[in-house]
Amino acid sequence: MLQTAERTLHTVKLVATRGHITLTQLAHELDISPSMAHRILSTCVAQGFLSQSGRGTAYGVGSALRQLAINVDRGTDLTATLEPTLRKAARKLLETCHLMVLEGTDIRFILSVEGSHLVRISRPIRRTTPAHATAGGRAILAALPEAELRRRFSNHDWSGAPHSHVQNLEELEAELARVRRRTFALQVGEAQSGVAAVALPVHDWSANVVAAASVTVPYQRMAQPTDAHSLIEQLRPFVARMEELLRPSNIL
């Protein structure tokens, strides 16, 4: 286990230094079999530290590694940087707002701010949720290369979100295509009964999606398509501000 961890870290360092590496080059560099090299690279891709544009192509720097470099440079993290803006969004919209990141095939809530409506959604009890059933998860997944998406969900257990209309990879790909067309993600009662949400991706300085910002409401307040569009248009300026804060001029 320790040897595998050392090899994985060495792989990330190699790509961070060189910019890219092929499977054959990694196997030679670490003096391991191609199958072992493939497992290490696949693990790094699944966690977002490396990326691959297509089958057989070289592996490059992934969004998680880019964001890690930014966080180290600025001596802080996404939560500290974006929390004030998320709080302003919650005050403006009167609804509960979240910031989340992708972990494998789940999303993790890293920040939640409750709205001020008398009837509102509270902060999430579970800190992770199946990404395919959430608006925030779909907003992030829609930005992944097809090869990476398939790799993450090739052996996925879809039973974690029984109310979601997405129950296999083909349905997920179709839903993500809709997300790209409308430019935002949506779910109604799929992650939790009676709860609806809309979300937008948050891009870093290099245009990689590093998080998602979402607005969660009781499903009655999203009964019409115009309700979702209204929430998204109110959320957009705050996401734009988040992305501005992640630019190099603001984080150095």
Side-chain angles (χ1 to χ4, degrees):
M1 181 68 73
L2 179 60
Q3 188 178 39
T4 300
E6 290 176 344
R7 287 170 172 170
T8 301
L9 290 172
H10 189 53
T11 298
V12 173
K13 287 172 62 179
L14 283 172
V15 176
T17 301
R18 301 180 182 180
H20 63 273
I21 198 168
T22 67
L23 188 152
T24 302
Q25 289 170 340
L26 181 65
H28 177 74
E29 181 77 27
L30 299 182
D31 193 22
I32 57 178
S33 67
S35 60
M36 174 61 76
H38 183 264
R39 285 196 293 273
I40 292 173
L41 290 166
S42 296
T43 298
C44 292
V45 169
Q47 296 302 315
F49 288 100
L50 301 185
S51 63
Q52 188 184 30
S53 59
R55 185 184 297 274
T57 61
Y59 294 80
V61 176
S63 60
L65 183 56
R66 294 181 188 278
Q67 188 59 52
L68 182 62
I70 292 174
N71 291 345
V72 171
D73 281 342
R74 71 182 175 216
T76 185
D77 57 23
L78 283 174
T79 302
T81 302
L82 303 183
E83 179 177 7
T85 304
L86 193 74
R87 291 194 176 279
K88 290 178 181 178
R91 287 198 299 269
K92 175 69 175 181
L93 276 67
L94 309 180
E95 304 286 6
T96 299
C97 295
H98 308 288
L99 190 69
M100 58 201 71
V101 295
L102 187 64
E103 289 189 358
T105 58
D106 292 331
I107 56 99
R108 178 174 294 278
F109 293 90
I110 61 173
L111 182 63
S112 297
V113 181
E114 288 190 13
S116 56
H117 266 301
L118 182 61
V119 179
R120 61 183 182 271
I121 303 301
S122 62
R123 300 184 181 190
I125 297 175
R126 291 187 302 168
R127 301 308 297 173
T128 61
T129 304
H132 71 274
T134 66
R138 291 170 182 174
I140 301 174
L141 292 175
L144 292 181
E146 181 181 355
E148 184 172 345
L149 181 73
R150 287 183 171 273
R151 196 158 32 243
R152 286 176 185 255
F153 286 90
S154 59
N155 297 307
H156 183 59
D157 179 6
W158 301 90
S159 63
H163 301 296
S164 175
H165 71 265
V166 174
Q167 291 296 327
N168 56 56
L169 183 56
E170 290 70 28
E171 291 174 349
L172 176 59
E173 289 175 327
E175 176 60 32
L176 297 182
R178 287 189 285 271
V179 172
R180 297 183 196 104
R181 286 196 299 271
R182 73 164 82 97
T183 74
F184 69 90
L186 166 72
Q187 72 84 18
V188 180
E190 297 181 61
Q192 182 178 341
S193 179
V195 175
V198 293
L200 289 170
V202 178
H203 300 79
D204 68 5
W205 60 274
S206 58
N208 288 298
V209 174
V210 295
S214 72
V215 183
T216 306
V217 302
Y219 75 94
Q220 296 95 332
R221 291 209 286 273
M222 207 182 294
Q224 303 296 326
T226 54
D227 297 332
H229 285 277
S230 175
L231 286 174
I232 280 295
E233 292 311 309
Q234 293 179 74
L235 180 62
R236 284 191 193 278
F238 296 100
V239 170
R241 175 55 180 163
M242 292 179 187
E243 294 178 340
E244 181 181 346
L245 291 170
L246 294 178
R247 294 174 185 168
S249 60
N250 290 304
I251 59 180
L252 294 179

